[in-house]
Amino acid sequence: VPTRELPTPEPLKPGRIRRVPGLDGLRGIAVVAVVVYHFFGDLLPGGFLGVSLFFTLSGYLIGSLVLSEVESGGGLGLASFWARRVRRLVPALVLLVLGVVALSWFIDLPDSTRSELLGGVGYVANWVQIAGGESYAQLFESPSAATHLWSLAIEEQFYLVFPFLAWLVARSVPGGLRRAYVVGGTAVTVLGVLAASNADDRVVGYYATHIRAPEIAVGLVLAGLWPMSHLPGLGGVAKPTAGMPRGVADVVGAVAMVVTGVLWWTVDLSDDRIYSGGLVLVALVSAALLVGATAGGWVARLLAV
């Protein structure tokens, strides 16, 4: 019986990775979780953990993107990398800031709005929140139009620092970037857990860059072990990297999906474990979910819906 061969993916330009519908599905689910949490907190008290999923996903995507560019043989173009991040994020940020300023002409906004907006533009909004001393939970008592810029600030701090470090590694240790992801990401994770366990302030434990960095670092570790450029259907090898069969990857992803749902359903901001390293465990579950979303099996197809 004749069989139809799948079309060969077109070569990607350096610094590009293929779109994975399963990861788009994870983005959608994470957004819904956060929105439901803020509108109907009693229904999904752990919905705020959707932000943690975004952090791990960002570490994985950016790590895979940089790795793809380096492995293509052209090295890492720092200027072009940062220019792409600016084009992707700054226009929306400017629109948001202008919109909030316009809104302030019609309704009274909290006194902290000005500093929050300035912190957002400077990508230090999370540290502005720490300086203000208000926990994330207080957002429900005093709603703000700009508090949520804290997570964008952490992402942008990562986008600024990580590519430069990756560039240094790629220049000094050719072919060692994947190993650096695993070693460096693990080190950042361990140090972040130690910092979280010694933090006696929930505001710091939730907003501080060095405490939230492990969630991104776990994504980098995964990018070193499970790079997108090596996966089936994405221009990679015939079977998933690291020797994991697709069926096993599906089981890993399915279990992670269930655990994620349980966490979002049961955890809340009053849980002390969130502020003492528990977010790293959430990041590990998110990494397992990313494996299922990119392996090309039924979990990936389900998330792609």
Side-chain angles (χ1 to χ4, degrees):
V1 178
T3 58
R4 183 169 61 117
E5 293 185 0
L6 294 174
T8 302
E10 295 182 4
L12 289 175
K13 295 179 180 179
R16 298 290 190 273
I17 50 179
R18 298 189 185 281
R19 175 175 173 264
V20 181
L23 296 183
D24 287 344
L26 283 182
R27 285 192 183 100
I29 292 172
V31 168
V32 168
V34 175
V35 172
V36 170
Y37 168 71
H38 280 281
F39 278 96
F40 311 102
D42 292 339
L43 296 179
L44 203 66
F48 66 94
L49 294 175
V51 176
S52 181
L53 174 56
F54 268 111
F55 283 158
T56 304
L57 178 58
S58 292
Y60 179 63
L61 288 175
I62 296 299
S64 294
L65 188 152
V66 168
L67 186 63
S68 175
E69 185 167 349
V70 170
E71 289 184 342
S72 69
L76 176 60
L78 291 175
S80 61
F81 176 91
W82 285 322
R84 290 195 299 270
R85 302 284 77 73
V86 168
R87 289 197 300 269
R88 182 178 179 88
L89 296 173
V90 170
L93 176 61
V94 171
L95 181 62
L96 170 65
V97 171
L98 293 177
V100 173
V101 170
L103 183 66
S104 69
W105 296 342
F106 301 97
I107 65 174
D108 291 330
L109 296 179
D111 294 337
S112 60
T113 301
R114 182 190 299 271
S115 60
E116 288 173 345
L117 290 177
L118 290 174
V121 172
Y123 297 128
V124 291
N126 60 316
W127 293 103
V128 169
Q129 296 300 328
I130 292 173
E134 289 193 3
S135 69
Y136 190 68
Q138 288 177 279
L139 181 62
F140 292 92
E141 301 170 7
S142 178
S144 167
T147 295
H148 294 290
L149 291 173
W150 74 269
S151 58
L152 176 64
I154 291 177
E155 296 252 11
E156 281 297 332
Q157 291 158 23
F158 166 63
Y159 295 157
L160 286 172
V161 174
F162 164 71
F164 179 70
L165 296 178
W167 177 78
L168 287 177
V169 171
R171 284 178 61 90
S172 57
V173 188
L177 193 55
R178 286 181 60 185
R179 185 167 61 252
Y181 282 2
V182 176
V183 175
T186 301
V188 170
T189 300
V190 172
L191 292 174
V193 171
L194 291 175
S197 63
N198 291 317
D200 55 2
D201 186 334
R202 285 191 172 188
V203 178
V204 174
Y206 194 83
Y207 287 123
T209 303
H210 60 290
I211 292 179
R212 301 305 298 254
E215 295 157 78
I216 299 176
V218 167
L220 282 178
V221 172
L222 183 64
L225 298 173
W226 186 266
M228 291 180 66
S229 59
H230 292 231
L231 297 179
L234 303 177
V237 295
K239 62 181 180 179
T241 187
M244 184 185 296
R246 180 175 295 174
V248 175
D250 266 341
V251 172
V252 170
V255 171
M257 192 181 301
V258 172
V259 174
T260 297
V262 171
L263 290 173
W264 289 359
W265 189 269
T266 59
V267 174
D268 60 56
L269 277 173
S270 64
D271 194 329
D272 289 333
R273 291 172 295 182
I274 290 296
Y275 309 95
S276 58
L279 288 171
V280 172
L281 297 179
V282 174
L284 293 175
V285 175
S286 297
L289 194 51
L290 292 176
V291 169
T294 54
W298 68 266
V299 170
R301 292 193 296 272
L302 176 64
L303 289 170
V305 173

